[in-house]
Amino acid sequence: MNKKNETLTDLAYTEIRELILTGQLKPQELITENSLQQRLNLGRTPIREAILRLANKKLIIIHPRKGIEVAPITVKMIHDIFQVRLMFEPNALKYSAPNLSKEWLREMLDRFYEYQSRNILTDSKIVLEYVKLDDYFHRSLIAPLNNDYVTSLVDSYSDHFLFIRSSIVPVYYANDKTGHKEIIEALINDDIETACKTLEAHINYSYTEMIDYYVKKDLLQVSPKF
């Protein structure tokens, strides 16, 4: 592949990934190379290479000689992501907490209070903003570790986590029952033990709510399309 095609492939990958992670392409939706070419105004080669990369990331499933499908959301996907988060994030926070900036923590507290006052349940753009803020917050909690292996671990599930969350209406965000403010306030007060316990409870709560939402909406029933 020449340099120009490589650049266009990166562009195609970024744009298709964004369509998936923002819910513009839905789980189990059937797509074609032609439709993506027209939608993104890009050529066949970069679209095809991008699809292969997304298939390697398990965001797309290629059915040989049959079609291309946006990956389904499964109980196992949700369970596996939250199991890793539960084992890893509260423990990592114990080591990163002393190096978190109090100024940054207060900024995050203000931002979460701001979203609590906005009507995030009826505005998809605000929901997406909140989901991205949530992702940024959790990544930043462990960023002070400056550990390449930790970063790689988080990267391995972050796209799928965004994918899952962008596909639901996050009712539990409305009153911030997820505990973001409590985590931040504990860290500001240098109460690391409480912060870690609250983060653990937050992950458990989010898991339960997410499974409950998908089961009630019958969105975890994967039916064959081919």
Side-chain angles (χ1 to χ4, degrees):
M1 184 190 308
N2 61 39
K3 188 172 184 180
K4 179 180 178 181
N5 280 340
E6 184 175 5
T7 302
L8 290 176
T9 296
D10 291 340
L11 176 61
Y13 174 83
T14 299
E15 295 199 7
I16 299 171
R17 173 182 172 274
E18 186 72 7
L19 290 174
I20 294 171
L21 298 186
T22 58
Q24 296 178 69
L25 291 176
K26 304 295 184 184
Q28 294 184 262
E29 182 174 341
L30 301 181
I31 56 178
T32 66
E33 291 181 10
N34 287 338
S35 66
L36 291 173
Q37 288 176 51
Q38 294 174 10
R39 187 168 188 167
L40 302 178
N41 195 27
L42 290 170
R44 179 180 180 183
T45 299
I47 292 293
R48 177 165 293 180
E49 293 295 330
I51 287 172
L52 290 173
R53 285 171 59 178
L54 289 161
N56 286 334
K57 295 280 285 186
K58 298 183 180 179
L59 289 172
I60 278 178
I61 299 173
I62 299 173
H63 300 277
R65 298 181 297 280
K66 294 180 180 179
I68 304 165
E69 177 188 9
V70 178
I73 292 172
T74 66
V75 171
K76 179 171 173 53
M77 178 190 293
I78 298 173
H79 172 270
D80 288 357
I81 289 172
F82 276 92
Q83 186 178 59
V84 171
R85 293 189 67 209
L86 194 59
M87 290 188 295
F88 166 68
E89 290 185 28
N91 288 308
L93 184 58
K94 292 178 185 178
Y95 298 96
S96 64
N99 294 315
L100 290 169
S101 161
K102 296 294 177 63
E103 181 180 355
W104 176 80
L105 288 168
R106 293 188 181 96
E107 178 188 340
M108 288 294 99
L109 190 61
D110 289 342
R111 292 181 69 180
F112 280 115
Y113 271 116
E114 177 189 354
Y115 274 97
Q116 186 176 353
S117 67
R118 299 169 72 183
N119 191 10
I120 67 173
L121 296 182
T122 58
D123 190 325
S124 59
K125 290 184 179 179
I126 298 178
V127 168
L128 183 57
E129 287 175 15
Y130 189 94
V131 167
K132 289 185 174 181
L133 173 64
D134 190 18
D135 181 65
Y136 165 72
F137 173 67
H138 283 279
R139 280 178 170 272
S140 297
L141 285 180
I142 58 177
L145 294 175
N146 194 28
N147 185 309
D148 291 341
Y149 296 100
V150 167
T151 301
S152 179
L153 174 62
V154 175
D155 286 343
S156 71
Y157 63 75
S158 62
D159 275 1
H160 288 89
F161 192 35
L162 284 171
F163 176 49
I164 292 168
R165 289 188 295 176
S166 67
S167 301
I168 73 171
V169 180
V171 176
Y172 57 99
Y173 288 157
N175 298 312
D176 194 26
K177 296 177 182 177
T178 53
H180 289 116
K181 296 193 294 293
E182 288 79 6
I183 294 168
I184 296 170
E185 288 167 350
L187 290 169
I188 290 174
N189 293 323
D190 294 318
D191 189 350
I192 296 175
E193 182 179 356
T194 296
C196 293
K197 288 181 178 178
T198 306
L199 177 56
E200 181 177 348
H202 156 67
I203 294 171
N204 274 316
Y205 174 81
S206 297
Y207 171 74
T208 301
E209 289 294 304
M210 201 164 286
I211 288 289
D212 185 57
Y213 175 85
Y214 277 108
V215 169
K216 282 183 177 179
K217 294 293 184 180
D218 200 28
L219 296 176
L220 292 173
Q221 300 300 317
V222 181
S223 56
K225 291 184 177 294
F226 300 102

